[in-house]
Amino acid sequence: MAKLSKKLSGIFITVFIIGFLTLTLIREKGEISFHENRRLAEMPEISDLKDGKYFEKLEKYFSDHFAFRSKLVNINSKTSLYIGEPIINGVYVSGGMMLNADKRNNITEWKSAEAINEYAEKSKGSVYVMAVPASDGIYIEKLPEYLRSITQKSQIDSFYASLNTGVKKIDAYNTLKMLNENYIYYRNDTKWTSYGAFCVYRTAIQKLGFLPVTYDKYKIEHAGVDFRGDLYNKTLYTDTKADMIDVYVCINGKEVVDVTAYDSSLKEMKMGLYHKEYLQTNDPYSFYLGGEDVIKIKTDVGNDKKLLVIKDEYADCFIPFLTQHYSEIAVVSGKCRLSDYAEVINPDEYGQTLFLFGADNLVNENCIASQG
């Protein structure tokens, strides 16, 4: 009887594996994983046999396209937490929040600071810089001890120290640290929420020479209530509460009268600040500014003040607050060279330039294209 039971078990497991492999082979293959928000591996070419990478790529292909992959990753995440392993694929899950758990490197040379210094030396206006910490930089005490040796605060300080004295630094870290009991960061993403951006805006706008619009002057609309961000994409863990994507509407405030995006050929596209169509995609954060690289925003503010923002995605929910103070705001992704857009954006026409980046992105030496 025992032998029969083992034999039946072996047959069941074999059939189960063959069934999954068959489903994997015959199911329709996608190019993008909706839940993980990344491109899936492609079937390797026979030519890959030459460099010995064929079987490695084949394994990756089957792993990415395995039947019911998303559900299995979710089950694996829940199992890991159940057995007391809170770090899943480089993400620390604890206390209803996900945090990046990748250990930071000690950076001594900042290519991003060199690019900003190069720009500032040639700029006719004032240059400001704001490095925004990721959620694990603010909630570092939640992480295991061995992940705290190099803090994001020390990295931001090192980055700021690499900037020329003429570049004005805006402190986001201490403001966010002081308010860390509030909903200033997403639970499923490394980035700040619109409220976190608003809290820093109140300080930053004074550095830029204006009085902030107070919180009571805004009406807050929940555009999306089921946002799952970059940390969720790594774990597919659904027990952490989904996040809200908010819009701050200034009551009786200044109006945005025109928003124009430019592609690499300088072709114009009229748009708005917010894009609801992205809320149902695998990139809901592009609700802010539509994920465009180069945008020019015009308002009915009558002061002729113009601001150039060179940025990454951390700026996207911050920029709407600035529209209450400037007649024009040009927004350029850090990966773009301004010289390529000289026909539509002349930096000399902007009295102020703000570099706004996530601190983790500044570690990447290519995050800001050379503007020389």
Side-chain angles (χ1 to χ4, degrees), residues 55-79:
F55 291 103
E56 179 182 332
K57 291 182 179 180
L58 187 64
E59 181 183 356
K60 178 65 175 171
Y61 174 81
F62 273 103
S63 175
D64 274 6
H65 296 275
F66 201 74
F68 308 112
R69 173 183 165 80
S70 295
K71 287 183 172 56
L72 291 172
V73 172
N74 175 263
I75 291 170
N76 177 67
S77 295
K78 291 183 177 181
T79 302

Side-chain angles (χ1 to χ4, degrees), residues 135-372:
S135 55
D136 60 291
I138 295 298
Y139 298 102
I140 188 171
E141 68 280 353
K142 294 180 180 289
L143 294 173
E145 190 72 33
Y146 71 91
L147 291 173
R148 306 182 198 175
S149 57
I150 300 174
T151 67
Q152 191 156 75
K153 176 64 165 62
S154 66
Q155 286 195 323
I156 291 173
D157 289 344
S158 172
F159 167 73
Y160 278 171
S162 299
L163 296 170
N164 291 344
T165 54
V167 176
K168 300 174 177 62
K169 296 91 173 173
I170 298 176
D171 175 25
Y173 181 89
N174 287 307
T175 297
L176 293 166
K177 188 68 176 177
M178 182 174 61
L179 298 169
N180 66 4
E181 294 185 1
N182 296 278
Y183 185 52
I184 57 173
Y185 281 92
Y186 294 119
R187 291 176 284 266
N188 301 271
D189 195 282
T190 53
K191 295 185 287 293
W192 56 5
T193 62
S194 288
Y195 181 65
F198 170 76
C199 292
V200 174
Y201 148 79
R202 291 181 299 189
T203 300
I205 202 65
Q206 294 180 71
K207 280 269 192 178
L208 291 164
F210 301 92
L211 291 175
V213 177
T214 55
Y215 185 78
D216 62 298
K217 296 294 193 298
Y218 283 99
K219 177 179 68 174
I220 302 168
E221 300 175 355
H222 302 314
V225 294
D226 55 357
F227 173 49
R228 302 280 184 180
D230 55 9
L231 297 176
Y232 164 78
N233 296 149
K234 292 182 177 182
T235 64
L236 303 189
Y237 181 69
T238 54
D239 285 5
T240 298
K241 186 178 179 181
D243 286 297
M244 294 180 291
I245 288 182
D246 291 336
V247 174
Y248 278 56
V249 180
C250 189
I251 304 168
N252 299 320
K254 301 299 181 180
E255 299 287 338
V256 172
V257 297
D258 184 80
V259 182
T260 304
Y262 301 89
D263 65 15
S264 57
S265 63
L266 304 186
K267 181 181 178 180
E268 295 184 4
M269 180 182 71
K270 297 298 181 180
M271 53 179 279
L273 289 181
Y274 306 108
H275 299 257
K276 289 186 176 180
E277 66 271 19
Y278 278 100
L279 294 176
Q280 304 305 318
T281 71
N282 62 343
D283 184 21
Y285 191 75
S286 285
F287 167 79
Y288 299 109
L289 305 188
E292 299 293 334
D293 288 334
V294 179
I295 304 170
K296 190 178 286 186
I297 303 166
K298 294 184 179 181
T299 74
D300 63 1
V301 176
N303 59 10
D304 292 326
K305 298 283 187 180
K306 294 184 178 183
L307 174 70
L308 171 59
V309 180
I310 300 175
K311 60 89 183 184
D312 66 6
E313 68 275 9
Y314 274 80
D316 293 352
C317 68
F318 183 88
I319 286 170
F321 296 113
L322 301 176
T323 60
Q324 295 301 306
H325 306 280
Y326 292 92
S327 63
E328 183 178 311
I329 302 171
V331 182
V332 181
S333 169
K335 63 187 178 185
C336 297
R337 286 179 58 88
L338 286 170
S339 57
D340 294 336
Y341 296 87
E343 291 183 27
V344 293
I345 296 176
N346 179 4
D348 292 341
E349 294 179 357
Y350 297 84
Q352 296 173 315
T353 298
L354 171 64
F355 286 84
L356 198 167
F357 285 81
D360 277 337
N361 291 334
L362 290 167
V363 172
N364 181 355
E365 63 181 33
N366 297 316
C367 77
I368 303 176
S370 173
Q371 305 300 339

Side-chain angles (χ1 to χ4, degrees), residues 31-47:
E31 295 182 357
I32 301 291
S33 169
F34 180 89
H35 294 287
E36 296 173 85
N37 193 22
R38 66 179 179 85
R39 183 167 292 280
L40 297 173
E42 298 179 356
M43 176 68 81
E45 303 285 344
I46 297 298
S47 58

